[in-house]
Amino acid sequence: MNMPPRTAEERVAGWGGALSRFAGGTIAYLLLTGLPLRFVPFSALAEWTVLLHSAAGVLSFLPLSVYLFRHWRDYRSDALTPAKVLGWLAFAAVAAAEVSGLWVGGLALFSDRVPRWIRNVHLIPSIAAAVFAVAHLWPLWRRRAASPELAARAARLREGYLAAAVLVPAALLLAAFPAALLHRGPRRAGAFPKDYRMPFGKNRPFAPSLARTENNGALLPEALSGSAGCGASGCHASIYREWSVSAHRWAALDPAFQRVQEEMARQNGPESTRYCGGCHDPISLFSGSKTVFKADLTSDAGMNEGVSCLSCHSVGKADVQGNANYVVHPPERYLFETSPSRAARLVSDFLIRAYPEHHVASLEKRLFKTPEYCAACHKQFVDQEVNNFGWVQLQNQYDNWRKSKWNHPGDPRRTIECRECHMPLLGGPEPSAGDTADYNRAADDGKHRSHRFLGANQYMPALLKLPGGRAQVDLVDRWLHGTYPIPEIASKWANGPAVSLALDAPDHAAAGRPLRVRAIITSNKVGHDYPTGPLDLIQSWVEIEVRDVSGTVVFSSGRSDAKRMIPPGTFLFKAEPVDRYGNLIARHNLWEMVGVRDRRSLFPGYSDVAEYTFPCPSSGGRPAPVRDLVVPDPPAGTLSIEATLHYRKLDQFLVDFLFPGKGLSAPITDLARARAVVRIVPAA
């Protein structure tokens, strides 16, 4: 049933209603705090304002709904004037802003993200509400009353309405200031211990590592730690699971690293271990843990997280010089982000999802998608500050790649960069999915880069018994064997294992005559030298075995013994660094290294050959240059030849030195295998 039009007295009285004034003040506050948040810098004050804005929106929903319903009921019978049309538009905009605000808040609280378009759905009606409300109220405010008495009353009531519209927002806005003063969020800046020494200069507190903070000051461990929060929040659970078994995660937890660091500190002093910390243990390095009188040179957070999420995502500058030449600038953390309280972390997660601009801008940079970013750590040298002798190049994956067939500057369709190989695309629910920076990606492709960083580190996840470690080892094995699919770059490289093996042998051989067999090793898919990394401890070698028709082994080379040692004379990819006295560096004591007496590795796309010659025992003359094998005489039908390319991460000698009496051994991966059959015919 339609109600009669409102009288002039009733219209004037509307300015004085308690619900009307509450609605005016609340709507003014929500508009004043919601719209500017898109444009003001990130701060604790802004975060508290987001929280108060969200709380006000929820608490006012029912009263505002009642007010809007009553207002519609009371004025629906009035003539359709321009002011009334603007009022209905303002009504609809406020209702849409309230409902969409609850939608945004619900997603921020109970899901893993709030898509930008949904936040815009909330923003647009909010802007419309501000415009239409002012346009609706302004002519009503200026409307002249029919009598002086009614005009005086209208003026008093409008002043009261205006006071409510000003004082309610002012009170709530001011409430954010003391809250921001009482709790400004997690601190980042730390302090060096009093006994912290800087032997390479006061302006180089982290030397001999080249890593540094923006102001060369110390950081609190929590400035770069807390990776579990990225997964526990429900936002980046997939990426956290991937990272949690990666070589980055256990870079400091690695017991081999810890033993080498211990030995380095014992010989050269604890400050020297900062050289390793920039890449292996940045949390401990920047918090000042690598100093004298520290029994454990790795902090608890550094030990557990190694290269944490923020260790990588806080890097603002990187240099291809290597040795961790990067500058880290930890982002300002959200309120309660590092709190151990579950309730407080819920508030932090809500803020990150509802107010994500700072989170995205501070942690997502184009730099991360470049090979030059990886070069900061994946390129290493020692110089006089480390070995007290002079400069020596160590592993250098970046320049290997830069000079290889995989790099075609300006042509991404032919180039394969670090992340394309080691961080293949994966599907699944992930807020960071999509990317417009890659030529073959889209913002809505539903994929993210794997943070497993698959390479050739298949030992530690199982040794450390990390949750999911066995699966990581299996994936590394598949990656090495070429059975791990990477569809987005499948057309750019060959099928099969990372490094292939082929046998070059004749169809037949005459008994008692020389027979030559070649094992050809080709780097098919590796983007840098194979093997890469510290070649004093990594080994890859060819094992060859020859059997006669009865299955008896008549010759073998490269078969490891019962102690997992590789016999002399094996065709081996490895380096033999030496100290200044010519002694072999065999304990990863790189701080004593001054050069290399022998080095063998494969450049990307290149091949190497292991030759095996089978001379006749009675032929005399110069012996075979590589290895000897006597072809059975009298003829024995056929010889079956099998060659295997092996790989392992740690030299057994080093394992025995680091962990004496433990019976440990790095697993041996059979990377590639080739077979051939040679018929033995009588000599002419």
Side-chain angles (χ1 to χ4, degrees), residues 483-634:
T483 59
Y484 184 95
I486 310 180
E488 61 271 18
I489 58 173
S491 62
K492 297 184 183 182
W493 59 4
N495 293 323
V499 179
S500 69
L501 180 66
L503 274 175
D504 178 20
D507 292 333
H508 62 274
R513 298 289 177 84
L515 170 61
R516 180 181 162 198
V517 175
R518 302 192 309 158
I520 304 168
I521 310 100
T522 304
S523 179
N524 282 332
K525 300 164 74 171
V526 184
H528 38 68
D529 276 0
Y530 172 83
T532 191
L535 292 188
D536 63 306
L537 55 84
I538 295 174
Q539 295 176 321
S540 181
W541 70 100
V542 175
E543 177 184 351
I544 189 166
E545 185 176 82
V546 183
R547 295 176 181 267
D548 62 18
V549 288
S550 68
T552 302
V553 176
V554 296
F555 173 78
S556 69
S557 173
R559 177 185 294 178
S560 58
D561 61 21
K563 296 182 179 180
R564 310 283 276 185
M565 295 290 188
I566 302 171
T570 297
F571 183 91
L572 180 67
F573 292 108
K574 201 178 187 300
E576 294 184 348
V578 293
D579 64 17
R580 66 180 66 196
Y581 307 109
N583 298 316
L584 185 65
I585 299 290
R587 297 171 286 113
H588 204 50
N589 46 322
L590 300 179
W591 57 92
E592 297 181 37
M593 178 180 170
V594 301
V596 178
R597 73 184 186 191
D598 183 54
R599 184 182 189 276
R600 189 167 206 148
S601 62
L602 272 177
F603 193 74
Y606 280 58
S607 297
D608 203 345
V609 176
E611 293 191 8
Y612 303 86
T613 303
F614 310 166
C616 174
S618 61
S619 61
R622 184 178 176 182
V626 183
R627 296 159 189 85
D628 293 339
L629 173 65
V630 177
V631 176
D633 188 12

Side-chain angles (χ1 to χ4, degrees), residues 27 30-31 35 38 89-101 103-104 117-133:
I27 291 173
L30 292 173
L31 292 175
L35 297 178
R38 292 292 186 100
L89 292 173
F91 175 101
V94 169
E98 274 282 312
V99 172
S100 61
W103 188 15
V104 169
W117 71 270
I118 294 179
R119 289 189 290 123
N120 288 337
V121 164
H122 179 53
L123 176 66
I124 293 170
S126 300
I127 296 174
V131 173
F132 292 137

Side-chain angles (χ1 to χ4, degrees), residues 28 81 83 113 174 198 228 247 264 292 294 371 385 440 459 531 565:
T81 63
R113 78 197 82 177
L174 289 173
M198 304 181 192
M264 188 174 188
V292 294
K294 287 276 188 179
E385 290 182 342
N440 57 350
Y459 185 26
M565 295 290 188

